[in-house]
Amino acid sequence: MAKALKTILKKKGNFIVNGSLWIESAGTGFLGPGPVELLKHIDETGSINKAAMKMKMSYKKALELIHTLNEQAASPVVITQSGGDNGGGSAITEEAKELIAYHVQLRKRFKKFLETETKNLSRSRINA
C-alpha cells in the first residue's frame, strides 16, 4: 500500500489525516464538540438562551441538543428552572461535568492518533 500512496498522491501535497469525533447511539451523534461547548456555556452563564447566543445558535436548536443529551443519559445533564423571583435558569449536573472532562480527554487522544497517522502518511509517501 505504501508504494501506491507514493504514486497516487501528489509529491508536493501537504496531506493530513483529519476527522471528527462524536459519541453515537442508535446511529445518531449526541456528544461532540457542539454539545460539549453548549454545556460549558450553560455552566458559565446559568442560561440556555445566553449559552445559545454565545454560540450564535438558535434557542430551539440548543433545546434540541439538551433534550438529546438528557435522553441518552441515565439522569439529566441539564436541569432547568423556569420563572420565579430570579427569572429561572439552567445548570449542568456533575454528570455533565464528567462528560465534558471525558470528551476533552477523548479529543486529546484522538488528536494524537490523527497526528500519528499524518506522520505515517508522510513517511509512506517519502519512503516507498
Side-chain angles (χ1 to χ4, degrees):
M1 180 158 197
K3 276 191 172 185
L5 287 178
K6 185 174 185 178
T7 59
I8 293 171
L9 300 176
K10 291 180 179 181
K11 290 186 185 267
K12 295 190 180 193
N14 186 19
F15 299 99
I16 62 169
V17 177
N18 204 347
S20 62
L21 182 65
W22 281 82
I23 297 176
E24 295 183 355
S25 176
T28 302
F30 70 92
L31 185 67
V36 167
E37 183 181 354
L38 181 62
L39 289 173
K40 288 178 179 178
H41 288 310
I42 292 169
D43 192 34
E44 292 167 10
T45 65
S47 164
I48 295 170
N49 192 36
K50 288 178 184 173
M53 287 191 302
K54 277 189 162 202
M55 294 179 70
K56 296 179 176 33
M57 174 188 294
S58 73
Y59 179 71
K60 181 181 177 188
K61 177 67 176 174
L63 284 178
E64 288 172 3
L65 289 175
I66 291 164
H67 177 73
T68 300
L69 283 167
N70 281 341
E71 273 188 339
Q72 296 302 325
S75 60
V77 295
V78 177
I79 306 294
T80 58
Q81 183 179 357
S82 58
D85 293 337
N86 297 324
S90 299
I92 66 171
T93 63
E94 286 303 313
E95 291 82 2
K97 292 176 184 179
E98 288 183 35
L99 280 175
I100 291 168
Y102 173 77
H103 192 265
V104 167
Q105 291 304 311
L106 185 62
R107 294 221 25 108
K108 285 180 184 178
R109 293 191 305 273
F110 187 58
K111 182 180 178 192
K112 283 185 180 184
F113 166 78
L114 294 174
E115 289 169 353
T116 299
E117 290 303 312
T118 295
K119 287 177 188 173
N120 291 342
L121 176 63
S122 294
R123 277 190 223 117
S124 70
R125 291 178 50 236
I126 294 168
N127 298 326

